[in-house]
Amino acid sequence: GAGTQTAGLAFGGVVTGALDNSEEYNGSSWAEGNNLNQARYYLAGCGTQTAALAFGGDGSAGVGGLTEKYNGTSWTEVNDLSTARNFLGGVGTQTAALAFGGLIPASSSVGNATEEFDGTSWTSGGNLSTARQQITGFGIQTAAVGVGGLTNTASTQTNATEEYNGTAWTGGGNLPTNRRNAAGAGILTEGIIFGGRNAANTANITTTDSYNGTSWTTVNSLATAREN
């Protein structure tokens, strides 16, 4: 998803199969927007309701690197990610986005690669210190946070936080517990993650944690437990 609390955008996902739907939120209700060119799930997104970016994902062969721009009316395909992946982290804006980590279908491995988008094409950035998929991200291209996730293709979760300065990742304060498949919002010094899968990998959770750029604090929970 992308946008703000009063001008949000949701796209893609899965019910019984991959979805191409987009919906726009005005602060009180949802309305249909134009569909993605390619149905997919486990993708990343960033930007605003009228300038969004969708990239990566799964659903059919060849979608893992696909990048699309939304102008508030329709989606347009642009240059692909250099490395096709799903379950990746994504932050930033339509003209300054960041993609990191994820599951690499071509090698069935977990990646640490970071790519930066300038509005036209992707270029390589500094690698995550710890390769992981199902990672949560928030922030901007030059001040991003990547947190939690799976460090392999099975069920080894992490609570590690990393911060990106536009060049390299460095360690931040650890989450209170290991966690994966949460959602994130905000900036490096005032961000939150919410929901996800618990450390034992037995249930979805309602937990919300707030980050101040140094450490995490648990705050009010979601009403409904969920992941992905």
Side-chain angles (χ1 to χ4, degrees):
T4 67
Q5 191 182 71
T6 56
L9 186 69
F11 43 88
V14 60
V15 180
T16 55
L19 298 176
D20 59 5
N21 298 69
S22 294
E23 296 188 36
E24 299 177 358
Y25 189 67
N26 63 8
S28 59
S29 60
W30 293 91
E32 289 289 334
N34 282 328
N35 291 348
L36 289 161
N37 291 290
Q38 178 62 58
R40 50 189 152 148
Y41 50 89
Y42 304 154
L43 71 163
C46 64
T48 65
Q49 190 184 81
T50 55
L53 197 69
F55 43 98
D58 200 353
S60 64
V63 305
L66 188 67
T67 302
E68 299 186 42
K69 286 181 175 180
Y70 190 67
N71 63 6
T73 303
S74 59
W75 292 93
T76 303
E77 293 184 25
V78 291
N79 288 319
D80 288 358
L81 286 161
S82 302
T83 301
R85 56 185 113 173
N86 53 63
F87 287 125
L88 68 162
V91 303
T93 67
Q94 191 184 75
T95 56
L98 196 68
F100 46 93
L103 181 65
I104 315 301
S107 59
S108 297
S109 63
V110 176
N112 65 352
T114 298
E115 298 186 44
E116 300 176 0
F117 189 70
D118 62 4
T120 303
S121 58
W122 295 94
T123 56
S124 294
N127 289 344
L128 285 161
S129 303
T130 302
R132 46 187 138 162
Q133 61 159 316
Q134 299 179 25
I135 185 172
T136 302
F138 56 84
I140 60 175
Q141 189 186 76
T142 55
V145 173
V147 58
L150 288 178
T151 58
N152 54 26
T153 57
S155 58
T156 305
Q157 298 190 36
T158 180
N159 66 349
T161 299
E162 297 188 43
E163 301 175 1
Y164 192 68
N165 62 6
T167 304
W169 293 93
T170 56
N174 287 343
L175 275 170
T177 59
N178 295 358
R179 188 170 175 183
R180 65 177 172 90
N181 268 343
I187 59 174
L188 189 150
T189 55
E190 193 176 7
I192 60 171
I193 72 167
F194 41 98
R197 193 74 172 169
N198 69 355
N201 195 33
T202 56
N204 297 341
I205 59 176
T206 60
T207 308
T208 302
D209 292 306
S210 175
Y211 193 62
N212 62 8
T214 304
S215 59
W216 293 92
T217 303
T218 300
V219 292
N220 289 339
S221 296
L222 286 166
T224 304
R226 61 187 98 175
E227 66 165 331
N228 282 332

